[in-house]
Amino acid sequence: MFYGFDRYYFILVVPALIIAGWAQMKVSTTFSTYSRMPVGNRMTGADAARFILDMNGLTNVRVERIAGKLTDNYNPTDRVVRLSDSVYGSATIAAVGVAAHECGHAVQHATGYAPLKLRTAIIPATQIGSTLAVPMIFLGILMSSDPLVNIGILLFSLMTVFQLVTLPVEFNASARAVATLSGHGMVNAEEERGVKKVLSAAALTYVAALLVSAMQLLRLVLIAGRRNDR
Ligand SMILES: [Zn+2]
């Protein structure tokens, strides 16, 4: 009953998964659309990233190319902004938007932005949670052990907290990106609207991920609660 498809799964988790799938499609199509629109100043994603990093005094943060689609990221351990093939060498609205967003994370890291620190701090706990939470709850129900069930739910809720803390980090990186690009004349007003659309679509996937996690948590709480009614 636990790993299977109980009614809570259909009522709570399935709708959230559908929304998440729609958000993924939306980011993919929006990115494709603005990947075909060149920016007036001919700056590639890599050029834009280098410019923004240097402007913020982050000359020691490297910009590298990474394989894949929408695999762009900032790695705080290596201090590298990694840009995917269609961002790194492309002078498009989508490319400079994504590049500026990843630089936003580098600036957050350099300035000690609190939500990013919190997010980084809870990563080890969420890794434990993602492997142990569900088996613990399952075992706890089998053994009628309330502490085991409760610890399992607590571990799972850490993953939901992680998704929640991700939101300010992502929204803030995008806000920094738009402010920098338009504030330094790297995009014009029309291009700025495109950048906002690309970054809003990306932000939507993080909201959807939070929704999926919250619904999974609610499902586990309801399943755990139901066993006491028997
Ligand atoms: Zn981001």
Side-chain angles (χ1 to χ4, degrees), residues 60-137:
N60 55 344
V61 175
R62 284 174 293 140
V63 179
E64 289 178 359
R65 187 189 278 262
I66 186 172
K69 199 188 173 204
L70 297 174
T71 47
D72 311 80
N73 67 84
Y74 168 68
N75 186 312
T77 314
D78 312 337
R79 304 203 72 182
V80 179
V81 167
R82 294 200 169 90
L83 303 176
S84 61
D85 293 331
S86 52
V87 170
Y88 189 93
S90 308
T92 65
I93 291 173
V96 296
V98 170
H101 170 95
E102 298 309 333
C103 292
H105 288 310
V107 175
Q108 287 174 338
H109 182 216
T111 56
Y113 178 66
L116 181 69
K117 275 183 169 171
L118 177 61
R119 188 175 180 268
T120 309
I122 61 177
I123 284 175
T126 60
Q127 280 163 347
I128 298 168
S130 66
T131 46
L132 287 185
V134 172
M136 270 179 98
I137 298 167

Side-chain angles (χ1 to χ4, degrees), residues 155-209:
L155 274 176
F156 194 95
S157 67
L158 278 173
M159 291 190 284
T160 309
V161 170
F162 176 79
Q163 300 289 356
L164 185 66
V165 176
T166 295
L167 293 189
V169 175
E170 294 303 329
F171 280 90
N172 176 267
S174 289
R176 283 174 198 265
V178 173
T180 305
L181 289 173
S182 58
H184 292 270
M186 296 164 79
V187 294
N188 63 32
E190 198 193 327
E191 291 164 348
E192 184 188 329
R193 274 194 294 277
V195 167
K196 281 181 179 166
K197 279 194 179 153
V198 171
L199 297 181
S200 304
L204 207 60
T205 63
Y206 292 103
V207 176

